[in-house]
Amino acid sequence: MSAETIALIVAAGKGERIGGDTPKQFLPLAGLSLVDHSRRALAAHPGIDRVVTVVAAGNESFVEGETAIGGATRRESVLNGLEAIGEARRVLVHDAARPIVPAAVIDRLLLALDSAKGAVPTLPVADTIARKGDALGDTVDRSALVRVQTPQAFDYAAILAAHRAWPIDEEATDDAQILRRAGHDVAIVDGDPLLDKITYPGDIALAEARLGAMMRVRTATGYDVHRLVAGERLWLGGVLIPHDKGLSGHSDADVALHAITDAVLGTIAAGDIGQHFPPSDPRWKGAESGQFLEHAASLVAAKGGTIDFVDLTIICEAPKIGPYRDTIRDRVATLLRVSREQISVKATTTERLGFTGRGEGIAAQAVVTIRI
Ligand code: CTP
Ligand code: MG
């Protein structure tokens, strides 16, 4: 028997209740689609070996990773996904519409699965629950009710058999009821409000606020120096500046972009620019430094980080940076895919002291703040 634990994310719905043209699972939340949020959270859990996302035919390229094709209802989508998996020991079935998946809930589910064929996360019902017709009807005793969330964890063979046995003309809104119909007990573990489903307009904003509150701020610095020589062009902050000297180095020697690149790498402890683009590598001879910065930014994005702010200081006696300040801000903003307001460019002399004061070189330092 396979030892694998597979997470199955269903993302083949139309998202009719939330409205709009894009199915809700593909809507962006802090720069990443809902479905990819869940996929990354599940894939990152040490107890999960593989993640398969079920999408409507034609939508395969909208999600990261492995996919299977969904059906007309959630139940059919789950069944298709279970069949596509082929072999596994345990499976977690999750709604793409629940983008935030706390690892602690997965821990509890996998533990509960040691002594049951199925386990689900639930939360108590806090509001008064009542029946309604045209007017308000009787109150329902909420102490006997729970809210059932996903991911739901199952013994793979048991849930597959239960799904296959379910009548095709009957609907089911989750998989625990399908397992119970097959005669198995379903264990209950504590759910989490962070798992709330995105169903109606407004739910996205709440999820965004919750995600924002979970993110941490990180700050890192970068510093670089290049020699000023005659006969070189002067690139500063991705902008060609007319001057009687230019910076020398293996690449275009853009000292300002190098300082920012090092700071960006620093926010994710990804080493320094020399490690990623060694001066010994002929590929980087005369290279435009913008690509170094774009690469560093892509590493931050791949880790789920967002660049918030860059503060750059260029240290030189000449040229004057002021006239180019906004052009540099715009260029750096373009490279980092942020707005001009998120880029600060300052300059200072060193009162004719030291190598910068004597015009022998230009130094730059940068502070970059990200959220991750
Ligand atoms: N789902 C699916 N295949 C379907 C229907 C639903 O994979 N045929 C998925 C949805 O993409 C969602 C999850 O099942 O991740 C829960 O369903 P729900 O919240 O009802 O999503 P939708 O059906 O897309 O939304 P609505 O009911 O508002 O149309
Ligand atoms: Mg639905």
Side-chain angles (χ1 to χ4, degrees):
M1 185 187 276
S2 165
E4 263 188 313
T5 300
I6 302 185
L8 191 65
I9 304 173
V10 281
K14 294 200 171 75
E16 279 166 353
R17 284 170 287 179
I18 208 165
D21 295 333
T22 309
K24 62 186 176 184
Q25 59 272 26
F26 304 127
L27 291 174
L29 181 66
L32 192 69
S33 70
L34 294 194
V35 54
D36 285 342
H37 270 288
S38 348
R39 201 198 68 84
R40 289 189 187 187
L42 290 161
H45 193 279
I48 294 174
D49 303 301
R50 188 177 146 204
V51 183
V52 178
T53 306
V54 182
V55 291
N59 285 348
E60 296 90 329
S61 63
F62 293 180
V63 299
E64 299 176 342
E66 201 181 332
T67 56
I69 301 303
T73 64
R74 184 190 182 282
R75 183 187 59 73
E76 280 179 36
S77 292
V78 175
L79 176 57
N80 288 0
L82 290 172
E83 299 280 8
I85 285 172
E87 202 190 349
R89 185 164 68 89
R90 310 183 287 193
V91 62
L92 274 83
V93 182
H94 185 58
D95 292 333
R98 304 176 192 268
I100 308 176
V101 191
V105 176
I106 301 174
D107 292 341
R108 294 197 279 272
L109 287 166
L110 293 179
L111 188 66
L113 213 53
D114 287 343
S115 44
K117 295 280 187 202
V120 297
T122 68
L123 284 180
V125 177
D127 296 319
T128 294
I129 303 289
R131 299 184 195 287
K132 79 169 177 85
D134 291 337
L136 189 67
D138 291 339
T139 302
V140 178
D141 177 14
R142 68 173 173 234
S143 65
L145 300 177
V146 287
R147 293 162 55 200
V148 182
Q149 303 181 308
T150 77
Q152 302 186 348
F154 303 101
D155 174 274
Y156 176 68
I159 191 66
L160 180 61
H163 258 275
R164 283 177 177 165
W166 186 269
I168 41 168
D169 52 355
E170 196 178 330
E171 257 336 295
T173 54
D174 79 342
D175 307 290
Q177 57 192 291
I178 293 177
L179 188 76
R180 289 185 62 247
R181 178 80 63 90
H184 298 290
D185 280 340
V186 174
I188 286 176
V189 305
D190 283 341
D192 194 313
L194 290 171
L195 274 169
D196 279 353
K197 188 154 69 87
I198 308 282
T199 305
Y200 299 106
D203 291 349
I204 292 261
L206 178 60
E208 202 135 60
R210 284 171 159 170
L211 212 57
M214 289 163 69
M215 288 181 122
R216 294 285 164 264
V217 170
R218 285 202 200 158
T219 300
T221 67
Y223 178 77
D224 196 27
V225 172
H226 278 277
R227 190 182 292 275
L228 266 176
V229 294
E232 290 279 357
R233 297 199 297 173
L234 178 60
W235 285 97
L236 272 180
V239 176
L240 187 59
I241 296 182
H243 193 48
D244 58 350
K245 289 178 180 174
L247 291 170
S248 83
H250 189 66
S251 65
D252 66 9
D254 190 326
V255 69
L257 290 190
H258 293 182
I260 300 172
T261 302
D262 258 359
V264 170
L265 291 171
T267 61
I268 49 167
D272 53 42
I273 193 169
Q275 231 175 299
H276 293 266
F277 303 99
S280 55
D281 189 331
R283 262 187 305 168
W284 313 126
K285 185 164 172 47
E288 220 186 288
S289 297
Q291 64 188 298
F292 303 158
L293 183 55
E294 283 179 315
H295 177 72
S298 76
L299 295 179
V300 171
K303 285 193 177 291
T306 312
I307 293 171
D308 268 342
F309 200 74
V310 174
D311 186 36
L312 170 73
T313 305
I314 298 171
I315 303 154
C316 60
E317 216 58 46
K320 289 256 168 291
I321 302 301
Y324 304 99
R325 188 190 312 270
D326 283 341
T327 320
I328 294 174
R329 290 174 75 200
D330 286 341
R331 180 69 192 135
V332 174
T334 302
L335 290 166
L336 293 175
R337 295 175 198 190
V338 299
S339 68
R340 174 197 272 199
E341 281 59 47
Q342 290 165 280
I343 310 293
S344 150
V345 173
K346 315 197 298 298
T348 184
T349 70
T350 48
E351 298 285 328
R352 299 187 179 277
L353 294 169
F355 70 87
T356 50
R358 292 188 296 272
E360 294 166 8
I362 296 182
Q365 62 186 39
V367 176
V368 170
T369 305
I370 68 161
R371 270 174 307 142
I372 195 158

